Amino acid sequence: MVTIGSVFFCLLILPMRLPGMDILGVGPNWLLIWMVAWSISRSPFESAIAGLVLGLLQDSLTASFPTHALGLMLAGVLTARLQQRRFIQEDLISIALIVFGLAVITETAMAVQLSFQYWLGDEPLHASLGTIWQYHQRVALSSAILSSLWAPALYYPLKRWWERYKVSE
């Protein structure tokens, strides 16, 4: 119940722009933070499924293209693989660094999708490739900074709850 509730909480606060919680109009990627917290102790397959579900939920709140599912699936799989190989520790600094890097990767997945749409010419975009990638730089850096700063605030309570749940099983 807490897991599902925390996902819906992240979905609800995703569009919020409280004072001090945005840079250049971009806020923290709460679903990415949740994805990292979930994937750190799961398999790549479970993480990919969670990323797909979270991405589709986020797409339901926004436009369906470009999809968020691709970036969140990639983030989940990469986090799970890093943990399997023991490249990371489960401390707050490591989590913040992982979230920073994965925020850049998820935003790059969005920019690549927009670039393919522009290149294929399926639907007319009102931006050039240069504009897409300039915007991507601002969004990716802003999202990465804010998401990594807010990651411990979401990661720590979720981790504690999931550890307590495992012990009670």
Side-chain angles (χ1 to χ4, degrees):
M1 197 65 173
V2 171
T3 301
I4 293 171
S6 64
V7 168
F8 285 114
F9 175 74
C10 289
L11 282 168
L12 288 175
I13 64 172
L14 197 59
M16 288 179 149
R17 296 295 181 258
L18 299 173
M21 286 187 62
D22 72 337
I23 298 175
L24 301 172
V26 178
N29 190 340
W30 296 106
L31 289 177
L32 174 65
I33 298 168
W34 192 96
M35 188 74 241
V36 169
W38 172 265
S39 300
I40 205 79
S41 60
R42 305 292 190 294
S43 72
F45 180 74
E46 290 172 326
S47 300
I49 297 299
L52 175 66
V53 170
L54 290 178
L56 293 176
L57 285 171
Q58 189 171 3
D59 288 345
S60 71
L61 295 176
T62 62
S64 61
F65 186 85
T67 183
H68 296 88
L70 181 65
L72 288 172
M73 285 175 62
L74 186 60
V77 169
L78 288 174
T79 303
R81 297 283 295 162
L82 284 172
Q83 179 59 22
Q84 281 183 342
R85 301 221 182 223
R86 303 286 179 212
F87 288 137
I88 57 172
Q89 299 174 5
E90 288 190 50
D91 61 359
L92 298 180
I93 294 173
S94 297
I95 297 302
L97 290 173
I98 291 167
V99 168
F100 185 92
L102 291 177
V104 172
I105 290 171
T106 57
E107 294 301 335
T108 302
M110 298 288 284
V112 167
Q113 291 176 67
L114 287 171
S115 296
F116 277 135
Q117 183 184 17
Y118 178 84
W119 184 65
L120 295 174
D122 291 339
E123 296 178 23
L125 289 176
H126 301 291
S128 67
L129 282 177
T131 306
I132 291 170
W133 286 98
Q134 283 177 345
Y135 182 72
H136 162 264
Q137 290 173 354
R138 285 185 281 160
V139 169
L141 189 57
S142 299
S143 177
I145 290 169
L146 285 171
S147 297
S148 64
L149 289 174
W150 282 99
L154 187 62
Y155 169 76
Y156 186 72
L158 285 174
K159 179 185 176 214
R160 297 274 303 180
W161 187 84
W162 286 326
E163 285 176 352
R164 183 181 301 173
Y165 179 71
K166 282 184 182 179
V167 169
S168 67
E169 284 183 350

